[in-house]
Amino acid sequence: MKKMYDLWICAHCGFFSREQFPDDICPACNLTDWQCLQCGYTLTAKAGPPVCVQCGAMGRFRNISGYIPDWSTMGTTEPLLAV
């Protein structure tokens, strides 16, 4: 039986790996998506900013992952949110 693997693809640079990126950060471009827990503002960066530029919340960002699995290896075309 052939073993199927998830293929993780960076949404920013297209880099792919058969394993989840360490700390959800692409090892090629070092970018991921961050979201403010206070207002929902999102940005792409290496790290979440210390202060939200939209609402002023301090240090309230979470990593919302800048990559998606390759759906074709899972036998589906329906996207899932990888957070």
Side-chain angles (χ1 to χ4, degrees), residues 3-24:
K3 187 172 182 180
M4 304 274 293
Y5 293 94
D6 290 341
L7 185 62
W8 298 92
I9 305 169
C10 176
H12 303 288
C13 73
F15 176 82
F16 63 92
S17 173
R18 291 191 180 215
E19 295 185 15
Q20 186 172 348
F21 300 152
D23 297 322
D24 294 331

Side-chain angles (χ1 to χ4, degrees), residues 25 30-34 43-50 61-63:
I25 308 253
N30 292 317
L31 295 177
T32 194
D33 295 316
W34 298 90
L43 75 146
T44 301
K46 291 182 180 183
F61 276 81
R62 70 175 169 174
N63 182 329

Side-chain angles (χ1 to χ4, degrees):
M1 176 179 227
K2 182 178 176 184
K3 187 172 182 180
M4 304 274 293
Y5 293 94
D6 290 341
L7 185 62
W8 298 92
I9 305 169
C10 176
H12 303 288
C13 73
F15 176 82
F16 63 92
S17 173
R18 291 191 180 215
E19 295 185 15
Q20 186 172 348
F21 300 152
D23 297 322
D24 294 331
I25 308 253
C26 174
C29 68
N30 292 317
L31 295 177
T32 194
D33 295 316
W34 298 90
Q35 182 179 49
C36 176
L37 295 173
Q38 184 73 29
C39 69
Y41 173 76
T42 60
L43 75 146
T44 301
K46 291 182 180 183
V51 177
C52 178
V53 296
Q54 185 165 310
C55 72
M58 300 197 59
R60 300 207 19 113
F61 276 81
R62 70 175 169 174
N63 182 329
I64 58 170
S65 301
Y67 62 90
I68 56 173
D70 178 7
W71 313 118
S72 64
T73 63
M74 292 185 235
T76 181
T77 57
E78 190 167 324
L80 306 171
L81 181 60
V83 290

